[in-house]
Amino acid sequence: MNQEAEDYIKPLKMLFQGNANPEKAEQMSKYMRNLSIFYGIPATLSRPLVKEFLKDSGLPEPALFNDVIKELWKLDQREYQYAAMLIMEKAMKKAEKERIHLYEWTILGKSWWDTIDFISGTLVGCHMRLYPELILPVTQKWMDSGNIWLQRSSLLFQLKYKKDTDTELMADYIQELKVSKEFFIRKAIGWVLREYSKTNPEWVKGFINDNPDLS
């Protein structure tokens, strides 16, 4: 464990532990199929707590940033992973190019939809706007990996792009994955098409008509 990272996180731990709700923790864990344990702090409270923490502690120094995120990711309670995502969001617009490796690491660690969707749709989405030269090599590598969470991220990173959506790339990835039996892949395909239909409904209608074998 990195002691500097541990020292940085300590005030956040105290905030979370002081606001734990065992009854809600059990409910939240059940909702997540008991894949994670919780303090029982809903987002309406955990977000302000993280903001309070960042106001007092500031963002981690660049040299410490990855270690802090990884330490938070390794902690048992799911609220720490949510806190890590908020910290990364706060820093995402000034992220160095290599931050993509950290995003990939978090996608692959303790993977479930509640972290993947934010990481891909918000963090990776912003990063690919900053460094568009990463789009093809990174997302194609993720597609080729066979990992459903990396593949889902390749579909979802453009979720907020609206008129800037690369429809050719989106179509290629959907067509590559449309035979998948994985629920979270099928769900992502439906999600990106539904979201893009708000921008260009005619394109989506045409794509669906051209691909009648979509789930």
Side-chain angles (χ1 to χ4, degrees), residues 175-186:
Q175 288 169 334
E176 187 173 339
L177 292 172
K178 66 183 179 181
V179 297
S180 175
K181 302 299 183 185
E182 291 286 350
F183 170 80
F184 287 108
I185 295 297
R186 292 184 170 200

Side-chain angles (χ1 to χ4, degrees), residues 85-208:
M85 293 191 300
L86 292 176
I87 292 171
M88 288 189 286
E89 181 185 25
K90 191 78 173 175
M92 68 182 183
K93 292 182 180 178
K94 295 184 178 180
E96 72 284 356
K97 191 174 183 178
E98 290 71 25
R99 181 71 51 82
I100 192 64
H101 301 302
L102 180 64
Y103 294 155
E104 181 177 306
W105 185 89
T106 57
I107 289 170
L108 291 171
K110 299 186 177 181
S111 309
W112 199 238
W113 64 264
D114 59 329
T115 54
I116 302 302
D117 294 356
F118 184 88
I119 296 166
S120 55
T122 298
L123 302 179
V124 175
C126 175
H127 203 71
M128 294 309 193
R129 285 184 183 272
L130 292 175
Y131 305 104
E133 68 273 17
L134 291 177
I135 292 175
L136 279 176
V138 170
T139 60
Q140 189 60 64
K141 183 186 80 168
W142 291 355
M143 288 290 293
D144 295 341
S145 70
N147 181 283
I148 66 165
W149 302 112
L150 290 175
Q151 291 174 335
R152 183 174 169 96
S153 298
S154 292
L155 290 169
L156 295 183
F157 83 93
Q158 296 194 86
L159 197 63
K160 300 178 181 180
Y161 281 19
K162 298 182 179 180
K163 63 180 178 60
D164 295 326
T165 299
D166 183 337
T167 53
E168 183 177 351
L169 184 69
M170 180 172 67
D172 285 348
Y173 288 170
I174 290 174
Q175 288 169 334
E176 187 173 339
L177 292 172
K178 66 183 179 181
V179 297
S180 175
K181 302 299 183 185
E182 291 286 350
F183 170 80
F184 287 108
I185 295 297
R186 292 184 170 200
K187 189 77 170 178
I189 290 172
W191 190 8
V192 295
L193 288 173
R194 184 175 69 249
E195 194 63 27
Y196 188 58
S197 74
K198 299 172 185 177
T199 297
N200 191 339
E202 293 306 316
W203 185 93
V204 174
K205 288 177 184 177
F207 181 79
I208 292 172

